[in-house]
Amino acid sequence: MSILIDKPYLRMLSNPTFENPIFVQGLSGFGNVGRIAAHMLVKFFDAKLFAELYSPTFPDYISISPKGIAHLSKYDFYYAPLEKNNLIIMSSEIQPSFDDVVSHYTICEEILNFVESLNCKFVVTMGGVPITEDKTEVFVAATSNRIAADFMEKGGVIYSKGKIVGGTGLTLALAKERNIDGVCLLGTTLGFKADREAGFLVFKLLMKALGQEITESLKDDVSLEQ
């Protein structure tokens, strides 16, 4: 594989067939909530890696595996077949620098180009929102009042003020510009360390929206080393 140094590069590892796919994105950020929730989805559904996205605008460091193997920073795409929909789950421990606005737009557009080519009609982004008191909630922002109301009925709370920084917000807003429906789920977190509890609450709400109730007893089963 040769990585292009002037633009994002998408590497396909396999070509699964998708039916009515839902795209779910969980990136690093406040409390690593989005990434933790995405990893819980991957583990719960035993999702399979099928594509990787590389970019010269990602941070200039590499990841080292437990066996000492070097890897470029990347976004990983997994697929999981469900009865009614397929899931495309994207996760990563990195994002472009928050100061590099153009890179965020470029990467998010590349992601949406890819999932739209797979006939994705719904987008879910997951992340954390910092709070100053220990209060566990999942805030909801959506592309329409109807979708926001649907997730409120599942237990979410409308995120009526503030901003959503990075790819977590931008992917949703750019999807709306393409007339793709979507929702952003934000777990409340103090943000000082990886917040497994907040990640689990986001995972639990999304699973409820997908028609599957998750109990607290499953928390340890779906947790991964972060």
Side-chain angles (χ1 to χ4, degrees):
M1 177 183 66
S2 177
I3 302 296
L4 300 177
I5 62 171
D6 60 341
K7 61 181 180 180
Y9 174 82
L10 188 69
R11 179 190 184 195
M12 298 298 297
L13 305 177
S14 65
N15 292 285
T17 300
F18 294 99
E19 294 184 13
N20 303 315
I22 295 172
F23 175 59
V24 183
Q25 172 182 292
L27 296 173
S28 61
F30 295 115
N32 262 350
V33 175
R35 180 170 174 254
I36 291 170
H39 276 263
M40 288 180 173
L41 284 169
V42 168
K43 188 167 185 182
F44 184 85
F45 289 112
D46 192 24
K48 306 301 181 185
L49 183 68
F50 77 99
E52 299 168 331
L53 179 66
Y54 298 86
S55 174
T57 62
F58 287 160
D60 59 347
Y61 59 80
I62 61 172
S63 300
I64 305 298
S65 75
K67 295 183 179 180
I69 307 301
H71 298 279
L72 284 172
S73 298
K74 58 188 172 68
Y75 285 1
D76 292 320
F77 293 82
Y78 300 83
Y79 74 93
L82 278 64
E83 185 175 339
K84 293 183 179 179
N85 300 92
N86 298 146
L87 291 186
I88 301 169
I89 306 164
M90 191 198 82
S91 178
S92 181
E93 63 182 1
I94 52 94
Q95 290 197 57
S97 168
F98 284 112
D99 296 328
D100 193 347
V101 177
V102 173
S103 294
H104 274 284
Y105 272 86
T106 300
I107 294 298
C108 290
E109 288 283 12
E110 189 75 17
I111 291 167
L112 289 170
N113 286 341
F114 179 46
V115 299
E116 199 168 20
S117 74
L118 300 175
N119 297 315
C120 177
K121 304 297 183 184
F122 197 89
V123 167
V124 180
T125 66
M126 305 181 297
V129 58
I131 55 172
T132 57
E133 57 184 20
D134 192 7
K135 188 176 183 181
T136 56
E137 291 180 316
V138 177
F139 285 107
V140 174
T143 56
S144 72
N145 292 331
R146 174 185 59 81
I147 296 170
D150 286 345
F151 278 82
M152 281 182 64
E153 290 179 2
K154 302 295 189 300
V157 178
I158 290 296
Y159 189 54
S160 58
K161 57 184 177 180
K163 301 176 181 179
I164 306 173
V165 299
T168 303
L170 193 55
T171 298
L172 180 71
L174 290 174
K176 185 176 186 292
E177 294 299 315
R178 296 177 181 228
N179 295 316
I180 300 174
D181 289 336
V183 65
C184 177
L185 306 178
L186 298 170
T188 56
T189 178
L190 297 175
F192 300 124
K193 60 181 180 179
D195 195 333
R196 190 166 68 95
E197 182 67 31
F200 180 75
L201 289 177
V202 170
F203 163 76
K204 185 178 178 181
L205 179 58
L206 178 55
M207 290 297 292
K208 187 174 183 179
L210 293 172
Q212 187 157 354
E213 294 284 348
I214 298 295
T215 63
E216 288 289 322
S217 62
L218 278 174
K219 186 184 299 183
D220 291 335
D221 293 338
V222 296
S223 294
L224 292 177
E225 192 73 25
Q226 295 295 329

